[in-house]
């Protein structure tokens, strides 16, 4: 009896471990592009949400739905934070768990934030990590029960800027290939953007712009990272949602991107809400605003 109980406990422990999320480094040890050794250390702090800053070792945190519920789709998640911090659970792991409930794999990208101390060419670093992240997920598609042509992305605020940068700059060579992973496509198959920073022009979010490209960027740099100017016919189908009363990232950011998508013949869906402010994540306490998630799932279903 004791032996059976012991083996039962072991089986339960093994099942629990196998169900836990997986955290994987983006890069081989010692081969992180544009990285400079420094005294800078990653920090985590709790402010009602988990805030991560000064990321040194970027990772992906993988949440997979049960095999029976899995749709075969995956979404890489880019939390916001003005390119200064990451709202890691609020716009990251909470989103991944929610996606799992719809049978979609949720993969949180802990990407590096621009740093004058630990990086060279800091403006390229978030995109470098984003390209590597989607290639890494694509390389694991079969073992994670994911369809390699059903890998999308979702980003919030500055994470929305990074997602839209990946969606428009996926072919840009920003690092030297390291292994077979880097031979895979970095193009997302679909893209969702929540109250995103899009432009670095007049309607931008000043903090995100300054943190990524500095206080006195050239006009060429501003144009390069104003993603409404980088849309092409090959940009992935896009879902946008924003609140009209957003006081941090003006709603015009989403409007500009939507118009650029239309002008280039790219399938686009946009939901603009009258109220909600900025950074509402799943908006679980707002009966109207929280409907954006169902609208997104309906949109994803329409792409199948």
């Amino acid at each position: 009896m004791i032996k059976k109980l012991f083996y039962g406990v072991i089986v339960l422990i093994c099942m629990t471990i196998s169900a836990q999320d997986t955290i994987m480094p983006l890069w081989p040890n010692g081969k992180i592009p544009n990285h400079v050794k420094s005294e800078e250390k990653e920090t985590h702090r709790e402010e009602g949400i988990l805030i991560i800053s000064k990321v040194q070792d970027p990772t992906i945190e993988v949440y997979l739905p049960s095999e029976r519920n899995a749709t075969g789709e995956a979404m890489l998640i880019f939390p916001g934070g003005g390119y200064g911090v990451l709202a890691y659970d609020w716009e990251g792991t909470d989103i991944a768990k929610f996606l799992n409930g719809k049978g979609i794999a949720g993969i949180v990208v802990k990407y590096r934030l621009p740093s004058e101390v630990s990086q060279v060419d800091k403006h390229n670093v978030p995109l470098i990590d984003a390209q590597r992240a989607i290639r890494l997920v694509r390389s694991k598609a079969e073992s994670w029960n994911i369809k390699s042509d059903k890998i999308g992305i979702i980003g919030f605020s500055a994470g929305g800027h990074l997602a839209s940068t990946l969606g428009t700059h996926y072919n840009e060579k920003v690092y030297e290939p390291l292994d077979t992973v880097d031979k895979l496509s970095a193009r997302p198959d679909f893209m969702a953007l929540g109250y995103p920073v899009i432009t670095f022009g007049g309607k931008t979010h000043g903090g995100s712009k300054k943190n990524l490209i500095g206080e006195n960027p050239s006009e060429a740099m501003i144009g390069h990272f104003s993603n409404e100017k980088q849309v092409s016919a090959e940009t992935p189908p896009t879902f946008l949602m924003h609140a009209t009363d957003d006081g941090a990232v003006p709603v015009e950011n989403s409007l500009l991107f939507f118009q650029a998508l239309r002008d280039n013949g790219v399938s686009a869906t946009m939901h603009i809400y009258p109220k909600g402010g900025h950074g509402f994540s799943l908006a679980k306490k707002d009966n109207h605003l929280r409907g954006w998630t169902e609208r997104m799932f309906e949109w994803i279903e329409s792409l199948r």
Side-chain angles (χ1 to χ4, degrees):
M1 181 65 181
I2 294 176
K3 183 180 284 189
K4 287 183 179 180
L5 180 61
F6 173 77
Y7 282 119
V9 170
I10 294 298
V11 169
L12 181 60
I13 290 172
C14 290
M15 288 174 64
T16 302
I17 291 172
S18 66
Q20 288 177 341
D21 56 281
T22 299
I23 298 178
M24 295 181 61
L26 282 186
W27 304 99
N29 189 35
K31 295 184 178 180
I32 303 176
N34 293 43
H35 178 71
V36 175
K37 287 186 178 180
S38 72
E39 295 300 313
E40 198 169 61
K41 303 292 183 184
E42 181 173 312
T43 63
H44 294 217
R45 66 181 190 272
E46 286 284 349
E47 296 183 357
I49 61 175
L50 174 59
I51 300 293
I52 297 179
S53 59
K54 300 179 182 178
V55 175
Q56 302 299 305
D57 297 301
T59 61
I60 53 173
E61 186 166 350
V62 183
Y63 291 80
L64 300 177
S66 64
E67 188 172 341
R68 286 188 177 184
N69 284 331
T71 65
E73 294 149 334
M75 295 188 80
L76 281 78
I77 304 159
F78 298 95
Y83 282 125
V85 300
L86 300 178
Y88 193 75
D89 51 1
W90 182 246
E91 294 172 345
T93 54
D94 285 358
I95 305 298
K97 295 169 188 175
F98 192 75
L99 289 172
N100 275 186
K102 295 292 186 177
I104 299 172
I107 299 159
V108 186
V109 184
K110 188 179 75 174
Y111 57 92
R112 285 175 293 164
L113 300 155
S115 170
E116 299 282 2
V117 176
S118 60
Q119 299 161 12
V120 295
D121 295 330
K122 68 172 187 174
H123 57 278
N124 279 331
V125 167
L127 178 59
I128 288 171
D129 287 351
Q131 285 189 0
R132 175 69 179 193
I134 195 166
R135 287 172 170 142
L136 183 58
V137 171
R138 203 157 258 137
S139 75
K140 301 290 185 181
E142 184 175 356
S143 61
W144 289 348
N145 195 30
I146 293 168
K147 297 173 184 176
S148 62
D149 60 349
K150 296 293 182 182
I151 299 173
I153 59 177
I154 183 170
F156 299 87
S157 192
H161 184 267
L162 178 53
S164 67
T165 303
L166 179 59
T168 54
H169 298 252
Y170 56 85
N171 267 337
E172 186 176 331
K173 186 177 180 181
V174 286
Y175 68 94
E176 291 297 324
L178 295 177
D179 50 29
T180 56
V181 170
D182 290 325
K183 295 179 180 179
L184 299 174
S185 172
R187 181 184 181 274
D189 294 301
F190 54 95
M191 177 164 60
L193 306 174
Y195 40 89
V197 180
I198 293 292
T199 188
F200 278 176
K203 294 293 183 178
T204 193
H205 176 250
S208 298
K209 177 182 176 181
K210 176 183 174 182
N211 285 335
L212 187 66
I213 61 175
E215 290 196 43
N216 298 296
S218 66
E219 287 300 318
M221 185 75 81
I222 293 171
H224 186 71
F225 286 104
S226 290
N227 291 326
E228 79 278 10
K229 298 181 178 181
Q230 306 303 326
V231 174
S232 74
E234 300 304 313
T235 301
T238 301
F239 174 96
L240 294 137
M241 60 90 178
H242 217 124
T244 304
D245 66 348
D246 191 326
V249 178
V251 70
E252 283 82 359
N253 281 263
S254 285
L255 298 175
L256 284 167
F257 202 69
F258 180 78
Q259 187 62 55
L261 293 164
R262 285 195 64 199
D263 291 346
N264 284 274
V266 178
S267 175
T269 295
M270 181 169 61
H271 293 272
I272 303 296
Y273 295 86
K275 294 182 179 179
H278 186 72
F280 48 79
S281 183
L282 295 169
K284 298 295 284 183
K285 296 181 180 180
D286 187 314
N287 290 338
H288 180 54
L289 191 58
R290 69 185 183 189
W292 78 261
T293 56
E294 288 303 319
R295 305 293 79 77
M296 184 183 73
F297 294 132
E298 292 165 358
W299 170 74
I300 292 172
E301 286 180 344
S302 76
L303 300 175
R304 290 172 184 164

